[in-house]
Short mmCIF file of all heavy atoms in Angstrom, two decimals:
data_model
loop_
_atom_site.label_atom_id
_atom_site.label_comp_id
_atom_site.label_asym_id
_atom_site.label_seq_id
_atom_site.Cartn_x
_atom_site.Cartn_y
_atom_site.Cartn_z
N GLY X 1 1.02 -86.21 275.74
CA GLY X 1 1.23 -84.74 276.00
C GLY X 1 0.17 -83.88 275.40
O GLY X 1 0.24 -82.70 275.53
N THR X 2 -0.81 -84.45 274.78
CA THR X 2 -1.89 -83.64 274.17
C THR X 2 -3.24 -84.03 274.71
O THR X 2 -3.41 -85.14 275.30
CB THR X 2 -1.95 -83.78 272.62
OG1 THR X 2 -2.38 -85.16 272.27
CG2 THR X 2 -0.56 -83.49 271.95
N PHE X 3 -4.18 -83.18 274.52
CA PHE X 3 -5.52 -83.29 275.12
C PHE X 3 -6.62 -83.04 274.12
O PHE X 3 -6.39 -82.35 273.07
CB PHE X 3 -5.77 -82.26 276.27
CG PHE X 3 -4.80 -82.63 277.52
CD1 PHE X 3 -3.38 -82.36 277.37
CD2 PHE X 3 -5.33 -83.10 278.60
CE1 PHE X 3 -2.55 -82.57 278.53
CE2 PHE X 3 -4.49 -83.33 279.80
CZ PHE X 3 -3.11 -83.08 279.64
N GLU X 4 -7.79 -83.60 274.35
CA GLU X 4 -8.98 -83.29 273.55
C GLU X 4 -10.18 -82.88 274.42
O GLU X 4 -10.36 -83.44 275.49
CB GLU X 4 -9.33 -84.40 272.66
CG GLU X 4 -9.74 -85.75 273.39
CD GLU X 4 -10.22 -86.83 272.45
OE1 GLU X 4 -10.67 -86.48 271.38
OE2 GLU X 4 -10.20 -87.99 272.88
N GLU X 5 -10.83 -81.79 274.00
CA GLU X 5 -12.01 -81.27 274.84
C GLU X 5 -13.11 -82.19 274.59
O GLU X 5 -13.68 -82.28 273.51
CB GLU X 5 -12.23 -79.91 274.54
CG GLU X 5 -12.94 -79.05 275.65
CD GLU X 5 -14.44 -79.49 275.83
OE1 GLU X 5 -15.20 -79.48 274.79
OE2 GLU X 5 -14.85 -79.93 276.97
N VAL X 6 -13.72 -82.79 275.71
CA VAL X 6 -14.83 -83.77 275.56
C VAL X 6 -16.04 -83.44 276.47
O VAL X 6 -16.73 -84.41 276.84
CB VAL X 6 -14.23 -85.16 275.85
CG1 VAL X 6 -13.26 -85.59 274.83
CG2 VAL X 6 -13.78 -85.26 277.24
N GLY X 7 -16.16 -82.21 276.92
CA GLY X 7 -17.18 -81.83 277.82
C GLY X 7 -18.57 -82.30 277.39
O GLY X 7 -19.31 -82.78 278.22
N MET X 8 -18.92 -82.05 276.15
CA MET X 8 -20.22 -82.34 275.72
C MET X 8 -20.51 -83.90 275.66
O MET X 8 -21.54 -84.43 276.09
CB MET X 8 -20.49 -81.81 274.27
CG MET X 8 -20.78 -80.29 274.34
SD MET X 8 -22.36 -79.88 275.18
CE MET X 8 -23.52 -80.42 274.04
N THR X 9 -19.57 -84.62 275.13
CA THR X 9 -19.77 -86.12 275.01
C THR X 9 -19.65 -86.77 276.37
O THR X 9 -20.32 -87.82 276.57
CB THR X 9 -18.75 -86.72 274.09
OG1 THR X 9 -17.34 -86.42 274.49
CG2 THR X 9 -18.86 -86.25 272.59
N ALA X 10 -18.86 -86.11 277.34
CA ALA X 10 -18.82 -86.66 278.62
C ALA X 10 -20.02 -86.27 279.51
O ALA X 10 -20.13 -86.73 280.62
CB ALA X 10 -17.51 -86.25 279.27
N GLU X 11 -20.87 -85.38 279.00
CA GLU X 11 -22.00 -84.92 279.57
C GLU X 11 -21.78 -83.99 280.85
O GLU X 11 -22.62 -84.15 281.89
CB GLU X 11 -22.98 -86.05 279.83
CG GLU X 11 -23.38 -86.78 278.54
CD GLU X 11 -24.43 -87.83 278.81
OE1 GLU X 11 -25.41 -87.67 279.33
OE2 GLU X 11 -23.96 -89.02 278.35
N ILE X 12 -20.77 -83.23 280.84
CA ILE X 12 -20.49 -82.32 282.02
C ILE X 12 -20.65 -80.89 281.45
O ILE X 12 -20.38 -79.95 282.31
CB ILE X 12 -19.27 -82.62 282.75
CG1 ILE X 12 -18.05 -82.42 281.86
CG2 ILE X 12 -19.18 -84.01 283.29
CD1 ILE X 12 -17.43 -81.00 281.91
N ALA X 13 -20.85 -80.60 280.23
CA ALA X 13 -20.79 -79.31 279.73
C ALA X 13 -21.94 -78.40 280.21
O ALA X 13 -21.85 -77.20 280.21
CB ALA X 13 -20.77 -79.35 278.14
N VAL X 14 -23.11 -79.02 280.62
CA VAL X 14 -24.27 -78.26 280.84
C VAL X 14 -24.94 -79.02 282.18
O VAL X 14 -24.45 -80.11 282.50
CB VAL X 14 -25.28 -78.23 279.78
CG1 VAL X 14 -24.74 -77.30 278.63
CG2 VAL X 14 -25.63 -79.54 279.26
N ASP X 15 -25.97 -78.37 282.62
CA ASP X 15 -26.70 -79.02 283.80
C ASP X 15 -27.65 -80.08 283.29
O ASP X 15 -27.67 -80.37 282.10
CB ASP X 15 -27.30 -77.91 284.63
CG ASP X 15 -28.52 -77.23 284.01
OD1 ASP X 15 -28.99 -77.71 283.03
OD2 ASP X 15 -28.86 -76.14 284.58
N GLY X 16 -28.42 -80.61 284.28
CA GLY X 16 -29.35 -81.68 283.89
C GLY X 16 -30.49 -81.26 282.95
O GLY X 16 -31.18 -82.07 282.41
N ASP X 17 -30.68 -79.89 282.79
CA ASP X 17 -31.78 -79.43 281.86
C ASP X 17 -31.15 -78.93 280.59
O ASP X 17 -31.82 -78.25 279.85
CB ASP X 17 -32.58 -78.33 282.59
CG ASP X 17 -33.33 -78.85 283.85
OD1 ASP X 17 -33.80 -79.99 283.73
OD2 ASP X 17 -33.30 -78.05 284.81
N GLY X 18 -29.86 -79.16 280.45
CA GLY X 18 -29.27 -78.73 279.11
C GLY X 18 -28.90 -77.37 279.13
O GLY X 18 -28.67 -76.72 278.03
N ARG X 19 -28.75 -76.62 280.30
CA ARG X 19 -28.45 -75.23 280.36
C ARG X 19 -27.03 -74.95 280.91
O ARG X 19 -26.51 -75.74 281.62
CB ARG X 19 -29.44 -74.54 281.30
CG ARG X 19 -30.93 -74.63 280.95
CD ARG X 19 -31.73 -74.04 281.98
NE ARG X 19 -31.52 -74.85 283.26
CZ ARG X 19 -32.20 -74.49 284.38
NH1 ARG X 19 -32.93 -73.48 284.48
NH2 ARG X 19 -31.93 -75.12 285.53
N THR X 20 -26.49 -73.95 280.34
CA THR X 20 -25.20 -73.46 280.92
C THR X 20 -25.45 -72.68 282.23
O THR X 20 -26.59 -72.46 282.62
CB THR X 20 -24.43 -72.47 279.93
OG1 THR X 20 -25.39 -71.29 279.61
CG2 THR X 20 -24.07 -73.20 278.69
N TYR X 21 -24.39 -72.49 282.92
CA TYR X 21 -24.49 -71.81 284.25
C TYR X 21 -23.18 -71.14 284.61
O TYR X 21 -22.25 -71.20 283.88
CB TYR X 21 -24.89 -72.77 285.39
CG TYR X 21 -23.95 -74.09 285.33
CD1 TYR X 21 -22.83 -74.01 286.12
CD2 TYR X 21 -24.36 -75.26 284.76
CE1 TYR X 21 -21.91 -75.15 286.06
CE2 TYR X 21 -23.53 -76.37 284.83
CZ TYR X 21 -22.32 -76.32 285.56
OH TYR X 21 -21.59 -77.34 285.55
N ALA X 22 -23.24 -70.42 285.73
CA ALA X 22 -22.03 -69.59 286.10
C ALA X 22 -20.98 -70.51 286.80
O ALA X 22 -20.84 -70.31 288.02
CB ALA X 22 -22.48 -68.45 286.98
N GLY X 23 -20.25 -71.26 286.11
CA GLY X 23 -19.26 -72.10 286.81
C GLY X 23 -18.21 -71.34 287.30
O GLY X 23 -17.56 -70.47 286.66
N MET X 24 -17.93 -71.57 288.61
CA MET X 24 -16.95 -70.77 289.31
C MET X 24 -15.82 -71.63 290.03
O MET X 24 -14.66 -71.80 289.55
CB MET X 24 -17.62 -69.84 290.24
CG MET X 24 -18.45 -68.80 289.51
SD MET X 24 -19.27 -67.56 290.39
CE MET X 24 -20.50 -68.45 291.47
N GLY X 25 -16.28 -72.33 291.17
CA GLY X 25 -15.25 -73.17 291.89
C GLY X 25 -15.53 -74.63 291.35
O GLY X 25 -16.63 -74.93 290.89
N VAL X 26 -14.45 -75.43 291.55
CA VAL X 26 -14.57 -76.81 291.02
C VAL X 26 -13.78 -77.70 291.82
O VAL X 26 -12.72 -77.39 292.42
CB VAL X 26 -14.13 -76.91 289.60
CG1 VAL X 26 -12.65 -76.51 289.48
CG2 VAL X 26 -14.36 -78.33 288.98
N ASP X 27 -14.15 -78.95 292.03
CA ASP X 27 -13.37 -80.01 292.60
C ASP X 27 -13.68 -81.38 291.83
O ASP X 27 -14.71 -81.60 291.27
CB ASP X 27 -13.57 -80.29 294.11
CG ASP X 27 -12.42 -80.93 294.69
OD1 ASP X 27 -11.34 -81.14 294.14
OD2 ASP X 27 -12.53 -81.32 296.01
N PHE X 28 -12.61 -82.23 291.81
CA PHE X 28 -12.65 -83.37 290.95
C PHE X 28 -12.14 -84.53 291.79
O PHE X 28 -11.04 -84.85 291.83
CB PHE X 28 -11.60 -83.15 289.84
CG PHE X 28 -11.89 -83.84 288.48
CD1 PHE X 28 -11.18 -83.56 287.36
CD2 PHE X 28 -12.86 -84.87 288.41
CE1 PHE X 28 -11.27 -84.23 286.16
CE2 PHE X 28 -13.05 -85.59 287.21
CZ PHE X 28 -12.21 -85.21 286.07
N ALA X 29 -12.99 -85.27 292.49
CA ALA X 29 -12.66 -86.32 293.50
C ALA X 29 -13.74 -87.33 293.59
O ALA X 29 -14.90 -87.09 293.22
CB ALA X 29 -12.32 -85.75 294.80
N ASP X 30 -13.38 -88.51 294.10
CA ASP X 30 -14.37 -89.64 294.16
C ASP X 30 -15.09 -89.54 295.48
O ASP X 30 -14.72 -90.02 296.50
CB ASP X 30 -13.48 -90.89 294.07
CG ASP X 30 -14.36 -92.19 294.16
OD1 ASP X 30 -15.54 -92.11 294.11
OD2 ASP X 30 -13.72 -93.25 294.48
N TYR X 31 -16.30 -89.06 295.47
CA TYR X 31 -17.15 -88.76 296.66
C TYR X 31 -17.81 -90.12 297.09
O TYR X 31 -18.26 -90.17 298.21
CB TYR X 31 -18.12 -87.62 296.39
CG TYR X 31 -19.22 -87.99 295.65
CD1 TYR X 31 -20.48 -88.60 296.10
CD2 TYR X 31 -19.37 -87.53 294.30
CE1 TYR X 31 -21.57 -88.88 295.30
CE2 TYR X 31 -20.51 -87.78 293.47
CZ TYR X 31 -21.57 -88.51 294.01
OH TYR X 31 -22.65 -88.74 293.13
N ASN X 32 -18.08 -91.00 296.21
CA ASN X 32 -18.79 -92.31 296.53
C ASN X 32 -17.97 -93.48 296.57
O ASN X 32 -18.38 -94.59 296.71
CB ASN X 32 -20.04 -92.48 295.55
CG ASN X 32 -19.55 -92.49 294.04
OD1 ASN X 32 -18.35 -92.41 293.80
ND2 ASN X 32 -20.50 -92.43 293.08
N ASN X 33 -16.63 -93.36 296.59
CA ASN X 33 -15.75 -94.44 296.87
C ASN X 33 -15.85 -95.63 295.84
O ASN X 33 -15.74 -96.75 296.26
CB ASN X 33 -15.86 -94.89 298.34
CG ASN X 33 -15.27 -93.83 299.26
OD1 ASN X 33 -14.63 -92.94 298.88
ND2 ASN X 33 -15.75 -93.99 300.53
N ASP X 34 -16.14 -95.32 294.57
CA ASP X 34 -16.23 -96.34 293.51
C ASP X 34 -14.99 -96.38 292.65
O ASP X 34 -14.98 -97.10 291.71
CB ASP X 34 -17.60 -96.22 292.72
CG ASP X 34 -17.54 -94.94 291.94
OD1 ASP X 34 -16.63 -94.09 292.03
OD2 ASP X 34 -18.58 -94.80 291.19
N GLY X 35 -14.00 -95.59 293.06
CA GLY X 35 -12.82 -95.59 292.24
C GLY X 35 -12.88 -94.66 290.97
O GLY X 35 -11.89 -94.67 290.25
N LEU X 36 -13.83 -93.87 290.91
CA LEU X 36 -14.03 -93.06 289.69
C LEU X 36 -14.20 -91.57 290.19
O LEU X 36 -15.14 -91.22 290.87
CB LEU X 36 -15.34 -93.42 288.93
CG LEU X 36 -15.39 -94.90 288.41
CD1 LEU X 36 -16.68 -95.19 287.89
CD2 LEU X 36 -14.28 -95.05 287.33
N PRO X 37 -13.31 -90.60 289.73
CA PRO X 37 -13.36 -89.29 290.15
C PRO X 37 -14.68 -88.67 289.66
O PRO X 37 -15.04 -88.76 288.43
CB PRO X 37 -12.10 -88.56 289.49
CG PRO X 37 -11.20 -89.70 289.17
CD PRO X 37 -12.05 -90.95 288.87
N ASP X 38 -15.38 -87.89 290.59
CA ASP X 38 -16.64 -87.24 290.22
C ASP X 38 -16.29 -85.78 290.15
O ASP X 38 -15.28 -85.31 290.64
CB ASP X 38 -17.63 -87.59 291.19
CG ASP X 38 -17.89 -89.07 291.45
OD1 ASP X 38 -18.22 -89.80 290.46
OD2 ASP X 38 -17.48 -89.60 292.51
N LEU X 39 -17.31 -85.02 289.82
CA LEU X 39 -17.14 -83.57 289.75
C LEU X 39 -18.12 -82.72 290.53
O LEU X 39 -19.30 -83.18 290.57
CB LEU X 39 -17.29 -83.08 288.24
CG LEU X 39 -16.10 -83.25 287.28
CD1 LEU X 39 -16.50 -82.91 285.87
CD2 LEU X 39 -15.02 -82.37 287.76
N VAL X 40 -17.68 -81.58 290.95
CA VAL X 40 -18.77 -80.75 291.54
C VAL X 40 -18.26 -79.28 291.14
O VAL X 40 -17.05 -78.98 291.17
CB VAL X 40 -18.86 -80.75 293.04
CG1 VAL X 40 -17.53 -80.41 293.81
CG2 VAL X 40 -20.04 -79.96 293.59
#
């Protein structure tokens, strides 16, 4: 029932150049059918 914030260690906190950006819309689904949910 509790959560921990892991954005940095999971490497989704910034873009590929280490920069923040204007995050607005999001989806969390497996686009490559490998059984692992991906992010956009």
